[in-house]
Amino acid sequence: MTRVFSGVKPTGHLTLGNYLGAMRRWAVVDQHQADALFCIVDLHALTVDHDPARVRRLSRQAATLLLASGLDPELCTVFVQSHVDEHARLSYVLECVATDGEMRRMIQYKEKAARERVRGGSVRLSLLTYPVLMAADILAYGTDEVPVGDDQTQHVELARDLAVRFNQRYGHTFVVPRATSPQVAARVMNLQDPASKMGKSDDSGPGIVYLLDEPDVVRKKVMRAVTDSGRQVVYDRAAQPGVANLLEVLAACTGGNPSELSGVYETYGALKSATAEAVVETLRPVQDRHRELCADPGYVEGVLRDGAERARAMARPTVDAAYRAIGLLPAAAAVAATADIGVTA
């Protein structure tokens, strides 16, 4: 069975873009067709200035929303990255295979470092090296496929390069993963800036619909969405990005086609109203289930505990093999256990 790995970084509240672009597919498709792992990658949230209490709160919220979106712990593995030591163990080994040049060519590092230099500041070393940790996230589980957006493809390519390089130097240890672009997914743009993705770390609140926004808040944000000059509702991403974004959101929520939907509405107001109601109805079952899960925090904790145990059991053999391959001496307990197994056999 194909193994799939995906992660959510707890750096902000999850958005409609996260749900339509990834989470819904994880629940409807991936967990049924693959050996799927879904991880709250909290270690990645430490690469920038952060409030520790907020990271913990957002990590729990993200886990709860993943379950509320339809992930079933009987069908997939849901866990928190920092609960499985193998991620950090493997990350250092892969740092010993990666190069400084590879890290500095990473687009996100270059962009964030440049912004900080303009401000007269500097970035944390972890921001430079976190793509290696992301590679460890993927390679530790023998992952075959990593469903990602265009902005993350470079990181999966790094994971592939490190896997190939390690295998060539030290013996075959890792599965070489591949990035996949899910066919059933929507790219949701910021309602106030249709040229930018609706990101959970964005500060532009009015343009972002969060999964836990109240229905009236959702309606207000959608009704205030930026449109375009002219009055005709036409699906043209280049000429009318604002209208196109609304049509794509409406299509993703209703299962329709943006081009066909453009002929249904005569005014921007009618399109916005229909889109707002479609979003409210799409989020309603997620919010209802989220409330149920929040009333039973012990259930979520149990899912994460069991998920971490399963993830650890999957990752440890591969990470231990990488340690042996690169030349590290096995721990005494591991040596004894291996000897015992040999004697018993």
Side-chain angles (χ1 to χ4, degrees):
M1 201 174 196
T2 300
R3 180 163 289 175
V4 171
F5 179 96
S6 291
V8 171
K9 186 163 60 174
T11 51
H13 298 288
L14 294 176
T15 72
L16 178 67
N18 297 128
Y19 180 70
L20 295 179
M23 294 164 61
R24 184 171 64 175
R25 177 186 167 83
W26 297 348
V28 174
V29 178
D30 290 336
Q31 69 173 343
H32 298 283
Q33 297 184 357
D35 181 8
L37 298 99
F38 302 105
C39 180
I40 294 86
V41 287
D42 54 344
L43 294 176
H44 292 295
L46 310 185
T47 60
V48 295
D49 289 340
H50 63 277
D51 174 8
R54 185 170 187 266
V55 171
R56 284 191 291 270
R57 185 170 62 252
L58 289 175
S59 296
R60 177 179 291 278
Q61 184 185 90
T64 306
L65 282 169
L66 287 180
L67 297 174
S69 71
L71 292 187
D72 183 348
E74 297 297 322
L75 299 175
C76 64
T77 302
V78 181
F79 67 105
V80 177
Q81 179 189 34
S82 63
H83 294 177
V84 180
D85 294 344
E86 277 63 31
H87 291 256
R89 288 181 62 208
L90 183 55
S91 181
Y92 179 74
V93 167
L94 294 179
E95 283 185 15
C96 297
V97 179
T99 67
D100 176 76
E102 285 175 315
M103 296 301 97
R104 297 187 186 279
R105 284 195 296 272
M106 290 289 130
I107 294 173
Q108 292 193 24
Y109 171 76
K110 290 168 65 176
E111 291 177 347
K112 292 180 180 180
R115 286 199 295 268
E116 284 301 318
R117 280 195 294 270
V118 170
R119 298 171 184 165
S122 61
V123 296
R124 299 182 180 188
L125 178 61
S126 56
L127 184 65
L128 177 66
T129 60
Y130 95 89
V132 177
L133 176 58
M134 185 179 294
D137 298 337
I138 296 167
L139 298 181
Y141 297 100
T143 302
D144 298 296
E145 296 182 356
V146 187
V148 292
D150 294 340
D151 58 336
Q152 294 294 328
T153 301
Q154 187 184 35
H155 291 136
V156 181
E157 288 302 314
L158 174 67
R160 288 176 56 85
D161 291 343
L162 295 181
V164 170
R165 190 177 308 153
F166 191 100
N167 290 346
Q168 290 175 342
R169 290 180 181 176
Y170 306 111
H172 185 79
T173 305
F174 298 115
V175 172
V176 180
R178 59 185 178 275
T180 60
S181 299
Q183 295 178 352
V184 184
R187 191 179 187 209
V188 181
M189 311 306 282
N190 191 300
L191 296 177
Q192 293 298 316
D193 180 10
S196 301
K197 188 174 69 172
M198 186 182 286
K200 61 181 179 298
S201 301
D202 199 323
D203 294 329
S204 180
I208 303 172
V209 175
Y210 297 104
L211 294 187
L212 297 179
D213 277 346
E214 293 292 334
D216 285 347
V217 174
V218 172
R219 294 186 182 99
K220 184 180 294 185
K221 289 180 177 180
V222 175
M223 294 304 293
R224 293 179 177 176
V226 169
T227 49
D228 310 285
S229 58
R231 296 183 177 181
Q232 285 189 317
V233 178
V234 177
Y235 181 61
D236 186 332
R237 170 57 72 179
Q240 292 189 305
V243 171
N245 188 36
L246 290 171
L247 287 167
E248 288 175 357
V249 171
L250 178 60
C253 290
T254 62
N257 178 283
S259 296
E260 294 176 359
L261 288 170
S262 66
V264 175
Y265 303 97
E266 296 183 355
T267 65
Y268 291 167
L271 171 62
K272 288 181 176 182
S273 180
T275 303
E277 293 308 315
V279 172
V280 167
E281 292 306 312
T282 296
L283 296 185
R284 190 183 304 281
V286 177
Q287 294 179 351
D288 289 345
R289 180 59 177 153
H290 179 266
R291 281 190 288 271
E292 294 174 0
L293 292 169
C294 287
D296 186 10
Y299 173 77
V300 177
E301 291 175 3
V303 168
L304 295 179
R305 181 178 60 251
D306 294 344
E309 290 178 2
R310 287 202 301 272
R312 196 176 300 117
M314 292 183 211
R316 183 165 292 169
T318 299
V319 178
D320 285 349
Y323 268 50
R324 290 192 300 271
I326 205 169
L328 298 177
L329 189 66
V335 172
T338 302
D340 290 343
I341 292 173
V343 170
T344 300

